[in-house]
């Protein structure tokens, strides 16, 4: 099966929002406060996928907004950014959109979400040099994964649990992702779904005492396993700037708060994931392992904070990596392929 995904992680300057002055490090969100919904998207048919996460827009062709006057399109993309951040993930069906148009849409969503001036689309460490779709487009392919790319390493002799692959994108970067996009254009007859889970809902299930303790902690995130994948694929790891001046080199390690606040909503979320979070700082190793395991169990043992997308051809998902987790489903043998883009946001 072949699946092609395009993920965008953009972040550029915008003059139509009320923004804070850019801090010296240039990597902080520029919103003056959470974005309030105006109802601008109510004219488009939509339905919530579950009470806590997901919203589907069956008829919206988002590329059409790129043709509108800037003031009008800014307002629409700002409302869309706020909707994605509130609902965690949205689903746009049968999108007639090119990878370059996806890039523009991703940039507009991220800029209207207040992304830093210094941030742009993320370049994944495993992206091949001189890719025909551009450095910012990550091609997700079952054929590539069979050679050792992606998260299939999780299903070797270390684990047979599908739940082991829940993650937030590139949390090993000092400046991680805000929004990400994925469009699947090559599908198997069945299978290959993606699941998302709500970090907001998981946080709300913590006791006040546990939440207070976790809010004072940070954790180390590492993508060191990409070094092995780069060797298996025969491609050098991308050590240059990856979407932010703070994301460079081959260390692939960063420290982030265990609990973070999404600047678009003002809501708190758990920011720990099974794939990249290796150690909670300030507690013993045993306590760290227990806490990471417990927080992960809130995700995979609570199906009522999850949503699952069964793709149709050219369906596209856009999600907020700051307050969701997601995982692929490797239950197919045929080709599956897609294009993915991600935007980098701000360190916490």
């Amino acid at each position: 099966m072949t699946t092609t995904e395009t993920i965008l992680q953009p972040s550029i300057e915008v003059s139509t929002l009320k923004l804070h002055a850019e801090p010296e490090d240039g990597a902080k969100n520029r919103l003056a406060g959470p974005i309030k919904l105006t109802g601008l998207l109510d004219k488009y048919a939509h339905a919530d996928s579950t009470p806590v996460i997901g919203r589907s827009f069956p008829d919206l062709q988002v590329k059409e907004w790129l043709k509108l006057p800037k003031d009008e399109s800014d307002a629409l993309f700002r409302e869309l950014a706020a909707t994605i951040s509130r609902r965690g993930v949205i689903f746009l069906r049968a999108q007639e959109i090119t990878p370059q148009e996806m890039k523009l849409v991703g940039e507009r969503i991220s800029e209207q979400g207040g992304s830093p001036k210094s941030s742009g689309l993320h370049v994944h460490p495993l992206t091949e040099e001189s890719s025909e779709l551009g450095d910012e487009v990550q091609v997700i392919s079952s054929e590539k994964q069979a050679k050792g790319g992606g998260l299939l390493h999780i299903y070797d002799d270390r684990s047979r649990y599908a739940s082991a692959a829940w993650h937030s994108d590139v949390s090993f970067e000092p400046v991680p992702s805000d929004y990400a996009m994925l469009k699947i254009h090559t599908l198997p007859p069945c299978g290959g779904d993606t699941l998302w889970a709500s970090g907001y809902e998981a946080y709300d299930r913590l006791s006040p005492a546990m939440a207070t303790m976790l809010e004072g902690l940070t954790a180390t995130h590492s993508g060191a396993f990409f070094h092995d994948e780069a060797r298996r694929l025969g491609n050098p790891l991308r050590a240059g700037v990856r979407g932010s001046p703070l994301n460079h080199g081959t260390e692939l390690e960063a420290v982030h708060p265990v609990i973070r606040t999404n600047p678009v909503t003002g809501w708190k979320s758990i920011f720990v994931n099974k794939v990249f979070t290796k150690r909670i700082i300030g507690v013993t190793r045993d306590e760290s392992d227990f806490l990471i395991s417990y927080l992960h169990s809130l995700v995979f043992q609570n199906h009522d904070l999850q949503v699952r997308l069964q793709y149709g051809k050219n369906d596209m998902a856009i999600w907020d990596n700051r307050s969701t987790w997601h995982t692929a489903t490797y239950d197919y043998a045929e080709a599956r392929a897609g294009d993915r883009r991600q935007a980098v946001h701000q360190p916490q």
Side-chain angles (χ1 to χ4, degrees):
M1 174 189 310
T2 301
T3 299
T4 302
E5 307 172 349
T6 301
I7 294 184
L8 298 173
Q9 296 188 3
S11 181
I12 59 178
E13 182 179 5
V14 60
S15 59
T16 58
L17 290 175
K18 180 182 178 184
L19 303 174
H20 288 304
E22 185 183 20
E24 290 184 2
D25 66 7
K28 297 295 184 182
N29 184 277
R30 295 176 298 127
L31 291 176
I35 299 176
K36 296 181 180 179
L37 292 177
T38 66
L40 197 57
L41 301 186
D42 290 350
K43 60 185 176 183
Y44 297 99
H46 62 274
D48 287 345
S49 308
T50 78
V52 301
I53 184 172
R55 178 169 294 178
S56 179
F57 290 86
D59 305 317
L60 171 61
Q61 288 291 330
V62 71
K63 76 170 187 178
E64 297 301 320
W65 293 358
L66 298 173
K67 305 173 185 177
L68 299 174
K70 192 170 188 309
D71 287 351
E72 185 176 348
S73 62
D74 278 351
L76 286 166
F77 282 117
R78 182 164 59 250
E79 189 83 354
L80 189 63
T83 300
I84 297 166
S85 293
R86 284 170 175 261
R87 296 301 305 167
V89 58
I90 66 164
F91 308 124
L92 305 178
R93 300 293 184 173
Q95 293 299 289
E96 300 171 1
I97 189 171
T98 67
Q100 289 307 309
E101 288 169 334
M102 284 181 66
K103 177 178 178 179
L104 294 174
V105 168
E107 288 174 340
R108 297 293 295 279
I109 292 170
S110 189
E111 73 174 32
Q112 290 301 316
S115 59
K117 289 182 181 180
S118 59
S119 292
L121 294 178
H122 187 254
V123 178
H124 196 277
L126 292 181
T127 299
E128 297 179 22
E129 296 276 0
S130 304
S131 168
E132 65 181 40
L133 294 180
D135 286 346
E136 302 92 349
V137 179
Q138 182 186 5
V139 177
I140 306 300
S141 159
S142 57
E143 296 174 357
K144 181 178 179 180
Q145 289 167 338
K147 298 177 182 178
L151 294 178
L152 282 179
H153 68 93
I154 288 182
Y155 300 108
D156 62 11
D157 61 348
R158 284 171 288 178
S159 177
R160 285 295 183 270
Y161 293 122
S163 61
W166 282 101
H167 67 287
S168 297
D169 289 321
V170 300
S171 66
F172 56 84
E173 298 279 26
V175 183
S177 169
D178 54 4
Y179 301 101
M181 309 170 67
L182 166 61
K183 188 184 79 165
I184 300 295
H185 58 66
T186 304
L187 292 164
C190 67
D193 300 351
T194 302
L195 289 80
W196 287 263
S198 171
Y200 300 138
E201 181 67 17
Y203 172 82
D204 286 344
R205 297 187 185 191
L206 298 173
S207 67
M210 177 66 81
T212 298
M213 181 193 71
L214 293 176
E215 285 174 26
L217 298 175
T218 57
T220 300
H221 297 241
S222 173
F225 64 83
F226 285 127
H227 289 274
D228 291 335
E229 294 196 21
R231 285 189 288 271
R232 284 196 294 268
L233 293 171
N235 299 323
L237 207 66
R238 298 296 291 267
V241 172
R242 298 185 295 270
S244 166
L246 299 180
N247 296 347
H248 63 86
T250 59
E251 186 176 2
L252 305 184
E253 186 172 296
V255 175
H256 300 296
V258 171
I259 305 296
R260 66 184 299 186
T261 300
N262 191 317
V264 178
T265 62
W267 302 342
K268 293 180 180 179
S269 174
I270 297 171
F271 197 65
V272 166
N273 68 83
K274 188 72 169 180
V275 172
F276 298 122
T277 309
K278 304 305 179 186
R279 182 74 158 84
I280 294 179
I281 300 168
V283 298
T284 68
R285 166 60 72 179
D286 290 341
E287 290 168 337
S288 173
D289 291 346
F290 169 79
L291 288 171
I292 291 173
S293 177
Y294 170 68
L295 295 175
H296 182 57
S297 72
L298 289 176
V299 180
F300 74 83
Q301 291 193 22
N302 286 307
H303 62 273
D304 55 345
L305 54 72
Q306 301 173 9
V307 65
R308 183 176 188 130
L309 175 61
Q310 183 177 19
Y311 292 98
K313 185 176 178 60
N314 292 326
D315 285 351
M316 185 165 73
I318 312 176
W319 65 95
D320 192 325
N321 269 307
R322 296 163 294 194
S323 43
T324 63
W325 301 274
H326 61 281
T327 185
T329 307
Y330 299 105
D331 58 351
Y332 50 88
E334 302 84 351
R336 178 180 182 272
D339 302 320
R340 189 165 86 167
R341 299 180 183 269
Q342 303 183 68
V344 294
H345 188 55
Q346 84 275 7
Q348 292 289 305

